[in-house]
Structure formats: structure tokens, C-alpha cells
Amino acid sequence: MALEVNGKSIELDANGNLVNSSDWDEDVCRALAAVEGIELTQDHWGVINYLREQYLDQGGAQPMERVILKDMSKRWNRKLSSKDLYQLFPLAPSKQGNRVAGLPYVARKGGY
């Protein structure tokens, strides 16, 4: 399966994640979010950038939802609940968030 972005064909795997994470840029991110039915806000970008930093700077780390919740609460200096993250990424922040962030599929169950 492929996604057309700015005249370029971007390959996706069977789960809708990028085959080549180096294809990711903000336009690709917006297109992936549109496929997911998500209109990106500043909070979405905060989570997306966090997920990318963790993956790219921490040797491929893909944090579980509890870790995302804890770290985003610290970054945003406010207490977040799981509901807050699921409002951003209803199909799971660690799965749908990673997909929009251009990261590989996460096969694990749950986040706690």
C-alpha cells in the first residue's frame, strides 16, 4: 500500500506504518494523520516529536503508553490522564501515535 504526498509515493506496510522511516517529514505526517482521521494540533505535534525523539535518540525505543503519559505530563507541566492521550490518538498513543510519527509498527499489547 502507498500514500501519495507532494507527488511522491510513500510505501506503507500492512498496518499503515511507513516502510522507510526516512520518508517521514511534516507533510507525510499530515497525510498519515488525515488517513487516521486526525487533525493535528500543537498537542499532537508534542507527542509526535516526543515519540520520534525517543525512537531516534534512544536506540529505537518505543515507549509504552504509561511512559508516554508520564513523560508528556512532565514536558507539558500538567497532570495528564490516559483519556487525554486517547483524545489525541483514539486507537492508542503508542500505536496510532507511532504510525503518524512515521515509526515502525509496535506489536506489543496494551501500555501498562
Side-chain angles (χ1 to χ4, degrees), residues 26-40:
E26 289 188 3
D27 290 334
V28 170
C29 184
R30 286 183 191 92
L32 290 166
V35 168
E36 298 288 327
I38 295 172
E39 186 173 331
L40 296 175

Side-chain angles (χ1 to χ4, degrees), residues 46-98:
V47 174
I48 289 165
N49 289 327
Y50 164 77
L51 292 171
R52 290 189 58 79
E53 287 168 14
Q54 290 298 302
Y55 186 79
L56 298 171
D57 298 341
Q58 303 296 325
Q62 291 181 292
M64 296 185 303
E65 288 165 23
R66 182 172 48 175
V67 175
I68 297 168
L69 181 62
K70 181 180 171 186
D71 288 348
M72 294 312 299
S73 289
K74 286 181 187 175
R75 283 183 179 215
W76 291 342
N77 199 28
R78 68 179 197 247
K79 178 94 170 119
L80 297 174
S81 68
S82 293
K83 183 178 178 180
D84 295 320
L85 291 179
Y86 274 86
Q87 286 177 333
L88 297 173
F89 298 103
L91 301 180
S94 66
K95 293 183 187 266
Q96 191 176 37
N98 276 339

